[in-house]
Amino acid sequence: MRPMTLLLTLLAVAAPALAAPSFDGRSWWHTVQVLADDRYEGRETGSRGERGAQDYLVGRLKALHVRPAGTHGYFQPVELRSRELDEAASSVALVRGGDALPLVIGDDLVLSTRVELAPDVDAPLVFVGYGLRVPELNHDDYAGLDLKGKIAVVFQGSPAAMPSALAAHYQSQAERWKTLRAVGAIGILMIPNPAAMDIPWSRIALNRSHPSMVLADPAFDETAGGRFGGTFNPAQADKLFAGTGHDFAELAKAGAERGPLPTFALPLALRAHTRLVTRAVHSRNVVAVVPGRDRALAREYVVLTAHLDHLGVGQPINGDRINNGAMDNASGSALLLDLARTLDSSSQRPRRSVLFVWVTAEEKGLLGSRYFANHPTVPGPQLVANINTDMFLPIVPLKVATVYGLAESDLGDLAAAAAARLGIRVQADPEPLRNLFIRSDQYNFIKQGVPSLAMRVGFDAGTPEEKLFKDWLTARYHAPSDDTLQPVDLAAAGAFEELTRQLTLDVANAPVRPRWKPDSFFRRYAPAP
Ligand SMILES: [Zn+2]
C-alpha cells in the first residue's frame, strides 16, 4: 500500500487534475435555467424570490450530501437596511446667483441612496477632475481647492499614468469617502465617463427605482458623514459647466483619453430636498464545505464565491419586468454547485478544504461578501485564497480567459498554468477603466489580505467577439433580457467550469498557500508575515 499511496500523493501534487470529469455545460445550464426562472422574480436581496432560490440551492446541496458550513446549517444570516428615495417628496435644483434651475430626477441626475441623504442640502459645487488623491504617486486632485461643506463633482475615470490597480482602489466607495471626509466635503456628484459606461443613461435612470441597501451594523458604513450623493447624466452635464470657460465635450474628450483634467470651483450650488424611506431587510449567505483529505491542510480553506442575488423586479423593458440575471449571476452560482458536486466525490477530494459561499447583496454593493469576509464561518487566518465567479459570460468559445488579478499573486500563475494545460490563453484585464477587479465580491477578501482572483471568458481586441461582448453589455447587462432565452455556448461554459475546477484543485493541493507578489499593490492588506 505504501508505494501506491506515495505515488498517489505525488500525482496529487504534480498533476492533480488528471482525472477530469468532462463538463459539457448541460448540468450548468440546467441549474441556470432554474435559478433564472421567473418564479424567483430576479432574486432581489431579501426577497421571497431570493429566499426561494437559496432554498433550492440548499436542497441540491443536501441531495448531493455536501456539508453545511454556515452558522445556521447552510445559512449565515445577513442583516441589512434598505433605503429608498420617495421621489415625489424630493427635489433638486442648481442655484446660480439667486436663480434656481430645477433638475429632473431621472433625466438630469439620479440620487444615490448609498449615501444617507440629508433631508436638506444647499452646498457649493467644486469640479475635482477624477477626484483622486493617491499618495503613492503624489497625485492630488484636491490640491489648492476648498471643499469644506461643499459637494465634489467627479468625472469617473483615472489618468493614464496611474496603474489600474491603484486607480481602481482609490475609486472604491470606501477610499473615495475617506478622501471626501479628509477634505471636509459633504457629498459627491459623479459624472460617468461616456467612454467607459457599462450601460446607457436610459438604463441608469430606470434602475434608480431599485432600493439601495447597507449592512445594518453601522461599523460597516463607508459613507459615514456624507449628506449627498448623486450621478449626473453626461448628456446634461453642460448645465454644470456653463459660465466656467469649460464645456463638457472638452472634459469628456480629455477623460476618454485618460488625459489630465482641470479642477475648479463651479459658480453653482446644489439644493436638494429629499425624503428617504428605510426598512430592515433580512437575507442570508449560503455556505457549504468539501472537507480536505490532508489532516493538517484540511484546516485551511480555498473559498469559492458567487453571488446569487440579482436586481429583482424593475421597470418594464419591452414588456418584461423581471431581471432574471441568468448570466449575472445564476451562471456563477450554477458553476459553484457543479464544482461542489465533483470535488466532493472521494477520488477528487483535495488536500485543503474548499468552502463554497453563495453570497447575497452583491448588487447592493458587495454586502454579503463583505459581511462574510469580516465574519467568516471558519477562522479568518485559515482562508488561503478566494476565487470568485461573477458573470463569466460563456457567449463565445473559450479561447482566451480574462484573469482579474493575474499579476497580483501566485493564484495568477496557477491560473495561467491550468489554462495552458487546457489550451486556453490568459490575459490580464483588457478594460482597466471599468475597475472590474474591485467591482465584485473578491474585493472584500482582498481587503482581508486573502489572495484573490476572478476569471471570465475573454476576447481579443478588435475581433467580432469584442463586439459581441460590448453588445451584450449594452443590450442585456442589468436588463430583463439577461434571461434564459439568450444564446449561450455550452461548450465554453463546460470548459470554463473545468478551468475553474483545475485551478481550485491546484490551489487546494499546493504544498504552500498562495501569496501576493512582492510588488503587488494589494499586498498592503496582507497581515505581516
Ligand atoms: Zn450585476
Side-chain angles (χ1 to χ4, degrees):
M1 286 304 289
R2 217 165 263 278
M4 189 61 181
T5 311
L6 181 65
L7 179 65
L8 283 176
T9 309
L10 284 174
L11 274 176
V13 174
L18 283 180
S22 54
F23 293 110
D24 59 10
R26 280 175 211 217
S27 57
W28 169 79
W29 185 238
H30 168 77
T31 307
V32 172
Q33 285 180 308
V34 175
L35 294 174
D37 191 276
D38 279 358
R39 88 185 90 159
Y40 296 134
E41 300 170 331
R43 309 184 304 279
E44 163 106 291
T45 297
S47 69
R48 178 182 59 180
E50 192 201 37
R51 276 193 300 282
Q54 290 169 338
D55 291 343
Y56 167 78
L57 201 56
V58 165
R60 292 281 307 270
L61 289 166
K62 280 182 180 162
L64 292 166
H65 304 290
V66 180
R67 297 183 200 185
T71 54
H72 297 62
Y74 291 94
F75 295 116
Q76 176 185 48
V78 179
E79 300 302 327
L80 305 132
R81 284 198 75 71
S82 85
R83 294 180 185 148
E84 210 165 344
L85 185 70
D86 178 354
E87 237 176 67
S90 303
S91 63
V92 189
L94 294 175
V95 183
R96 182 187 301 268
D99 301 332
L101 169 70
L103 296 175
V104 179
I105 296 174
D107 292 347
D108 291 316
L109 83 171
V110 296
L111 302 188
S112 167
T113 48
R114 293 259 168 99
V115 178
E116 185 145 30
L117 298 169
D120 289 289
V121 168
D122 193 341
L125 298 174
V126 181
F127 183 64
V128 296
Y130 298 112
L132 295 171
R133 174 180 273 183
V134 181
E136 290 88 340
L137 301 176
N138 281 320
H139 177 104
D140 187 2
D141 289 325
Y142 295 88
L145 297 173
D146 173 15
L147 267 297
K148 280 219 172 51
K150 300 179 184 175
I151 293 170
V153 178
V154 172
F155 184 88
Q156 186 187 45
S158 59
M162 198 172 287
S164 66
L166 266 179
H169 172 74
Y170 282 103
Q171 289 178 80
S172 68
Q173 174 170 269
E175 293 302 319
R176 276 216 193 276
W177 276 94
K178 272 185 210 161
T179 305
L180 292 169
R181 277 192 292 273
V183 298
I186 60 141
I188 184 167
L189 189 56
M190 291 287 310
I191 310 175
N193 185 339
M197 282 171 79
D198 288 342
I199 55 176
W201 179 264
S202 58
R203 190 109 42 80
I204 293 175
L206 280 178
N207 283 347
R208 76 184 189 275
S209 63
H210 301 298
S212 68
M213 291 186 193
V214 291
L215 287 164
D217 181 348
F220 287 109
D221 186 1
E222 292 176 332
T223 66
R227 297 170 56 78
F228 180 82
T231 302
F232 213 88
N233 182 355
Q236 302 295 330
D238 273 326
K239 290 180 180 172
L240 298 169
F241 294 103
T244 63
H246 298 275
D247 63 28
F248 184 66
E250 160 218 329
L251 300 169
K253 184 168 183 295
E257 293 159 0
R258 305 185 71 193
L261 287 176
T263 62
F264 47 89
L266 296 168
L268 288 172
L270 182 135
R271 186 184 292 163
H273 300 288
T274 54
R275 188 171 167 269
L276 273 189
V277 182
T278 67
R279 67 186 172 88
V281 174
H282 314 285
S283 185
R284 317 175 284 192
N285 293 325
V286 176
V287 194
V289 67
V290 170
R293 66 178 153 78
D294 181 296
R295 197 179 270 257
L297 290 181
R299 282 179 291 128
E300 297 186 341
Y301 296 84
V302 179
V303 188
L304 302 189
T305 45
H307 75 87
L308 182 60
D309 69 294
H310 191 52
L311 302 172
V313 179
Q315 298 298 315
I317 297 179
N318 299 328
D320 190 357
R321 305 169 57 92
I322 299 179
N323 293 285
N324 303 82
M327 293 302 111
D328 187 10
N329 181 36
S331 67
S333 298
L335 177 145
L336 254 60
L337 189 64
D338 269 352
L339 293 202
R341 174 171 58 81
T342 57
L343 293 183
D344 203 34
S345 70
S346 54
S347 65
Q348 301 287 332
R349 186 169 280 187
R351 297 172 72 198
R352 286 189 180 79
S353 300
V354 180
L355 203 59
F356 296 83
V357 191
W358 289 266
V359 295
T360 184
E362 188 273 350
E363 302 286 8
K364 306 298 182 188
L366 317 183
L367 301 178
S369 60
R370 192 151 171 240
Y371 189 79
F372 183 88
N374 282 274
H375 298 289
T377 56
V378 300
Q382 288 162 220
L383 304 179
V384 303
N386 172 234
I387 300 166
N388 184 45
T389 306
D390 185 2
M391 211 172 88
F392 66 93
L393 286 181
I395 58 174
V396 299
L398 179 54
K399 291 181 275 187
V400 52
T402 301
V403 180
Y404 301 96
L406 181 63
E408 308 297 338
S409 77
D410 300 337
L411 289 177
D413 303 330
L414 291 171
R421 284 200 300 271
L422 296 167
I424 299 163
R425 278 184 294 126
V426 293
Q427 63 175 4
D429 185 357
E431 306 167 287
L433 277 179
R434 292 179 60 215
N435 292 336
L436 291 178
F437 194 44
I438 68 158
R439 274 178 55 189
S440 187
D441 294 302
Q442 68 273 6
Y443 192 50
N444 287 311
F445 293 89
I446 294 170
K447 288 205 283 186
Q448 297 300 318
V450 180
S452 303
L453 172 147
M455 298 191 291
R456 278 189 179 174
V457 175
F459 55 85
D460 292 312
T463 59
E465 282 85 4
E466 179 179 34
K467 186 172 174 339
L468 270 174
F469 279 92
K470 295 247 152 46
D471 289 350
W472 189 92
L473 281 180
T474 307
R476 297 189 194 271
Y477 178 56
H478 283 196
S481 56
D482 177 13
D483 60 17
T484 53
L485 299 176
Q486 68 189 296
V488 293
D489 185 324
L490 289 186
F496 188 89
E497 288 195 292
E498 181 56 21
L499 173 60
T500 310
R501 188 186 74 92
Q502 295 207 15
L503 172 60
T504 303
L505 282 173
D506 289 351
V507 180
N509 288 325
V512 292
R513 56 196 281 175
R515 289 180 212 282
W516 293 101
K517 297 288 187 191
D519 60 349
S520 172
F521 168 80
F522 298 102
R523 191 169 168 237
R524 64 185 56 202
Y525 298 115

